């Protein structure tokens, strides 16, 4: 069984970055030409990191 990344992470910044990238990737499926996370640009990366922080807080209860 896989370990819970949220529960076992000891690096909050790495967890936030992981969540932000996964959120970004989940939205890219709506576009004909998807942009990789590494090329998303500073503005969009900051916005998706904010969403990742909110998601983490929501899941932590």
């Amino acid at each position: 069984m896989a370990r819970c990344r949220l529960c076992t992470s000891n690096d909050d910044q790495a967890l936030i970055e992981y969540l932000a990238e996964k959120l970004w990737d989940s939205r890219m499926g709506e576009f004909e030409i998807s942009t990789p996370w590494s090329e998303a640009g500073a503005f969009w990366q900051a916005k998706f990191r904010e969403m990742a922080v909110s998601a983490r807080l929501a899941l932590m209860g």
Side-chain angles (χ1 to χ4, degrees):
M1 176 179 242
R3 295 178 14 185
C4 172
R5 186 181 300 263
L6 181 64
C7 299
T8 60
S9 176
N10 59 3
D11 183 346
D12 284 340
Q13 292 306 315
L15 177 63
I16 296 304
E17 190 68 17
Y18 174 82
L19 286 172
E21 182 175 358
K22 294 303 175 190
L23 288 167
W24 175 262
D25 289 346
S26 75
R27 306 312 305 157
M28 285 297 102
E30 297 180 5
F31 298 96
E32 194 170 313
I33 300 173
S34 64
T35 302
W37 174 247
S38 61
E39 297 175 17
F43 174 83
W44 287 112
Q45 286 188 358
K47 292 301 177 188
F48 274 75
R49 286 184 187 110
E50 289 173 11
M51 287 192 295
V53 167
S54 295
R56 181 185 169 277
L57 290 172
L59 291 170
M60 296 297 285

